[in-house]
mmCIF file of all heavy atoms in Angstrom:
data_model
loop_
_atom_site.group_PDB
_atom_site.id
_atom_site.type_symbol
_atom_site.label_atom_id
_atom_site.label_comp_id
_atom_site.label_asym_id
_atom_site.label_seq_id
_atom_site.Cartn_x
_atom_site.Cartn_y
_atom_site.Cartn_z
ATOM 1 N N ILE A 143 0.014 3.429 14.433
ATOM 2 C CA ILE A 143 -0.202 2.004 14.676
ATOM 3 C C ILE A 143 1.112 1.375 15.112
ATOM 4 O O ILE A 143 2.191 1.937 14.918
ATOM 5 C CB ILE A 143 -0.802 1.286 13.438
ATOM 6 C CG1 ILE A 143 0.127 1.365 12.223
ATOM 7 C CG2 ILE A 143 -2.175 1.869 13.120
ATOM 8 C CD1 ILE A 143 -0.378 0.619 10.994
ATOM 9 N N GLY A 144 1.043 0.201 15.698
ATOM 10 C CA GLY A 144 2.231 -0.476 16.214
ATOM 11 C C GLY A 144 3.192 -0.897 15.112
ATOM 12 O O GLY A 144 2.818 -1.004 13.937
ATOM 13 N N SER A 145 4.439 -1.149 15.490
ATOM 14 C CA SER A 145 5.468 -1.486 14.501
ATOM 15 C C SER A 145 5.144 -2.774 13.743
ATOM 16 O O SER A 145 5.432 -2.879 12.549
ATOM 17 C CB SER A 145 6.838 -1.578 15.156
ATOM 18 O OG SER A 145 6.844 -2.550 16.177
ATOM 19 N N ASN A 146 4.550 -3.756 14.413
ATOM 20 C CA ASN A 146 4.171 -4.994 13.729
ATOM 21 C C ASN A 146 3.078 -4.717 12.691
ATOM 22 O O ASN A 146 3.132 -5.229 11.571
ATOM 23 C CB ASN A 146 3.714 -6.053 14.735
ATOM 24 C CG ASN A 146 3.616 -7.421 14.112
ATOM 25 O OD1 ASN A 146 4.444 -7.789 13.281
ATOM 26 N ND2 ASN A 146 2.617 -8.192 14.525
ATOM 27 N N GLN A 147 2.103 -3.901 13.051
ATOM 28 C CA GLN A 147 1.048 -3.529 12.114
ATOM 29 C C GLN A 147 1.619 -2.707 10.959
ATOM 30 O O GLN A 147 1.178 -2.850 9.820
ATOM 31 C CB GLN A 147 -0.059 -2.752 12.809
ATOM 32 C CG GLN A 147 -0.947 -3.589 13.684
ATOM 33 C CD GLN A 147 -2.071 -2.755 14.282
ATOM 34 O OE1 GLN A 147 -1.862 -1.619 14.702
ATOM 35 N NE2 GLN A 147 -3.259 -3.319 14.304
ATOM 36 N N GLN A 148 2.605 -1.858 11.243
ATOM 37 C CA GLN A 148 3.241 -1.074 10.182
ATOM 38 C C GLN A 148 3.931 -1.988 9.181
ATOM 39 O O GLN A 148 3.822 -1.787 7.970
ATOM 40 C CB GLN A 148 4.249 -0.090 10.770
ATOM 41 C CG GLN A 148 3.611 1.068 11.495
ATOM 42 C CD GLN A 148 4.627 1.973 12.155
ATOM 43 O OE1 GLN A 148 5.789 1.607 12.337
ATOM 44 N NE2 GLN A 148 4.190 3.166 12.520
ATOM 45 N N LEU A 149 4.628 -2.995 9.677
ATOM 46 C CA LEU A 149 5.304 -3.945 8.794
ATOM 47 C C LEU A 149 4.289 -4.706 7.946
ATOM 48 O O LEU A 149 4.483 -4.877 6.736
ATOM 49 C CB LEU A 149 6.165 -4.915 9.600
ATOM 50 C CG LEU A 149 6.927 -5.961 8.802
ATOM 51 C CD1 LEU A 149 7.865 -5.309 7.796
ATOM 52 C CD2 LEU A 149 7.705 -6.874 9.734
ATOM 53 N N MET A 150 3.215 -5.162 8.557
ATOM 54 C CA MET A 150 2.174 -5.869 7.808
ATOM 55 C C MET A 150 1.541 -4.959 6.756
ATOM 56 O O MET A 150 1.269 -5.393 5.632
ATOM 57 C CB MET A 150 1.118 -6.420 8.767
ATOM 58 C CG MET A 150 1.622 -7.571 9.602
ATOM 59 S SD MET A 150 0.504 -8.152 10.899
ATOM 60 C CE MET A 150 -1.095 -8.030 10.186
ATOM 61 N N ALA A 151 1.320 -3.691 7.104
ATOM 62 C CA ALA A 151 0.737 -2.731 6.168
ATOM 63 C C ALA A 151 1.693 -2.490 4.996
ATOM 64 O O ALA A 151 1.272 -2.436 3.835
ATOM 65 C CB ALA A 151 0.420 -1.427 6.884
ATOM 66 N N TYR A 152 2.989 -2.369 5.293
ATOM 67 C CA TYR A 152 3.993 -2.188 4.243
ATOM 68 C C TYR A 152 3.974 -3.380 3.282
ATOM 69 O O TYR A 152 3.945 -3.206 2.059
ATOM 70 C CB TYR A 152 5.379 -2.017 4.861
ATOM 71 C CG TYR A 152 6.479 -1.912 3.840
ATOM 72 C CD1 TYR A 152 6.735 -0.710 3.188
ATOM 73 C CD2 TYR A 152 7.267 -3.015 3.518
ATOM 74 C CE1 TYR A 152 7.738 -0.605 2.240
ATOM 75 C CE2 TYR A 152 8.266 -2.927 2.577
ATOM 76 C CZ TYR A 152 8.509 -1.724 1.939
ATOM 77 O OH TYR A 152 9.504 -1.646 0.993
ATOM 78 N N GLU A 153 3.995 -4.580 3.825
ATOM 79 C CA GLU A 153 3.973 -5.787 2.990
ATOM 80 C C GLU A 153 2.699 -5.853 2.146
ATOM 81 O O GLU A 153 2.736 -6.265 0.987
ATOM 82 C CB GLU A 153 4.115 -7.031 3.861
ATOM 83 C CG GLU A 153 5.501 -7.162 4.464
ATOM 84 C CD GLU A 153 5.621 -8.286 5.471
ATOM 85 O OE1 GLU A 153 4.593 -8.904 5.840
ATOM 86 O OE2 GLU A 153 6.760 -8.534 5.907
ATOM 87 N N HIS A 154 1.585 -5.428 2.720
ATOM 88 C CA HIS A 154 0.317 -5.402 1.989
ATOM 89 C C HIS A 154 0.430 -4.471 0.776
ATOM 90 O O HIS A 154 0.039 -4.839 -0.337
ATOM 91 C CB HIS A 154 -0.806 -4.950 2.925
ATOM 92 C CG HIS A 154 -2.134 -4.802 2.271
ATOM 93 N ND1 HIS A 154 -2.981 -5.866 2.064
ATOM 94 C CD2 HIS A 154 -2.763 -3.708 1.763
ATOM 95 C CE1 HIS A 154 -4.078 -5.434 1.455
ATOM 96 N NE2 HIS A 154 -3.963 -4.126 1.266
ATOM 97 N N GLU A 155 0.980 -3.285 0.989
ATOM 98 C CA GLU A 155 1.109 -2.324 -0.116
ATOM 99 C C GLU A 155 2.119 -2.803 -1.155
ATOM 100 O O GLU A 155 1.896 -2.638 -2.357
ATOM 101 C CB GLU A 155 1.489 -0.939 0.418
ATOM 102 C CG GLU A 155 0.503 -0.343 1.401
ATOM 103 C CD GLU A 155 -0.934 -0.249 0.906
ATOM 104 O OE1 GLU A 155 -1.191 -0.304 -0.314
ATOM 105 O OE2 GLU A 155 -1.833 -0.114 1.755
ATOM 106 N N ILE A 156 3.208 -3.420 -0.709
ATOM 107 C CA ILE A 156 4.195 -3.986 -1.650
ATOM 108 C C ILE A 156 3.537 -5.037 -2.530
ATOM 109 O O ILE A 156 3.784 -5.103 -3.738
ATOM 110 C CB ILE A 156 5.411 -4.577 -0.893
ATOM 111 C CG1 ILE A 156 6.262 -3.459 -0.305
ATOM 112 C CG2 ILE A 156 6.234 -5.494 -1.786
ATOM 113 C CD1 ILE A 156 6.978 -2.585 -1.317
ATOM 114 N N ASN A 157 2.666 -5.867 -1.939
ATOM 115 C CA ASN A 157 1.968 -6.883 -2.731
ATOM 116 C C ASN A 157 1.056 -6.252 -3.778
ATOM 117 O O ASN A 157 0.934 -6.782 -4.887
ATOM 118 C CB ASN A 157 1.191 -7.838 -1.824
ATOM 119 C CG ASN A 157 2.108 -8.813 -1.131
ATOM 120 O OD1 ASN A 157 3.160 -9.163 -1.637
ATOM 121 N ND2 ASN A 157 1.725 -9.254 0.060
ATOM 122 N N HIS A 158 0.413 -5.136 -3.451
ATOM 123 C CA HIS A 158 -0.390 -4.431 -4.463
ATOM 124 C C HIS A 158 0.488 -4.004 -5.637
ATOM 125 O O HIS A 158 0.099 -4.144 -6.798
ATOM 126 C CB HIS A 158 -1.055 -3.186 -3.872
ATOM 127 C CG HIS A 158 -2.301 -3.459 -3.107
ATOM 128 N ND1 HIS A 158 -3.398 -4.121 -3.638
ATOM 129 C CD2 HIS A 158 -2.665 -3.131 -1.839
ATOM 130 C CE1 HIS A 158 -4.349 -4.193 -2.737
ATOM 131 N NE2 HIS A 158 -3.930 -3.602 -1.627
ATOM 132 N N ILE A 159 1.679 -3.502 -5.324
ATOM 133 C CA ILE A 159 2.597 -3.076 -6.385
ATOM 134 C C ILE A 159 3.045 -4.272 -7.218
ATOM 135 O O ILE A 159 2.994 -4.242 -8.450
ATOM 136 C CB ILE A 159 3.807 -2.335 -5.774
ATOM 137 C CG1 ILE A 159 3.344 -1.024 -5.122
ATOM 138 C CG2 ILE A 159 4.871 -2.074 -6.834
ATOM 139 C CD1 ILE A 159 4.389 -0.357 -4.245
ATOM 140 N N LYS A 160 3.479 -5.345 -6.550
ATOM 141 C CA LYS A 160 3.956 -6.542 -7.252
ATOM 142 C C LYS A 160 2.863 -7.177 -8.103
ATOM 143 O O LYS A 160 3.140 -7.730 -9.168
ATOM 144 C CB LYS A 160 4.489 -7.564 -6.255
ATOM 145 C CG LYS A 160 5.815 -7.170 -5.647
ATOM 146 C CD LYS A 160 6.292 -8.221 -4.667
ATOM 147 C CE LYS A 160 7.625 -7.850 -4.069
ATOM 148 N NZ LYS A 160 8.078 -8.842 -3.071
#
Side-chain angles (χ1 to χ4, degrees):
I143 61 177
S145 59
N146 193 38
Q147 286 183 319
Q148 288 176 344
L149 180 59
M150 289 173 38
Y152 176 80
E153 290 173 352
H154 176 83
E155 301 305 341
I156 289 292
N157 285 331
H158 279 304
I159 294 168
K160 287 180 179 178

